[in-house]
């Protein structure tokens, strides 16, 4: 995983990232338990913004 993408995701999502997995065109981002709602944002706005910047689909999951 490109370190630049990881840093951008940390900044955009505003939560700690435990790990990231690439699954084809999608990135699965694992965040600490209880932080998924914050990472997703109101109505999915944060995830959608990150998808537009990175040109990849995101899925947020809790560990």
């Amino acid at each position: 995983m490109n370190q630049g993408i990881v840093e951008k995701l940390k900044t955009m999502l505003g939560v700690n990232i435990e790990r990231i997995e690439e699954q084809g065109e999608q990135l699965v981002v694992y965040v600490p338990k209880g932080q998924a709602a914050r990472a997703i944002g109101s109505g999915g706005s944060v995830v959608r913004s990150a998808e537009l910047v990175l040109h990849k689909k995101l899925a947020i999951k809790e560990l």
Side-chain angles (χ1 to χ4, degrees):
M1 176 63 51
N2 183 348
Q3 193 63 23
I5 290 176
V6 174
E7 291 303 317
K8 280 184 182 179
L9 276 172
K10 282 183 183 179
T11 302
M12 288 186 279
L13 299 180
V15 297
N16 287 331
I17 295 174
E18 300 293 332
R19 72 175 192 254
I20 300 172
E21 294 177 357
E22 275 189 86
Q23 295 179 350
E25 292 293 316
Q26 184 177 29
L27 294 177
V28 180
V29 181
Y30 291 92
V31 298
K33 188 169 178 89
Q35 297 292 306
R38 182 174 178 188
I40 294 169
S42 178
S45 61
V46 175
V47 168
R48 183 65 182 136
S49 297
E51 289 175 342
L52 290 172
V53 170
L54 299 174
H55 305 289
K56 290 196 177 258
K57 286 286 194 184
L58 294 181
I60 307 294
K61 295 189 178 182
E62 292 181 330
L63 282 179

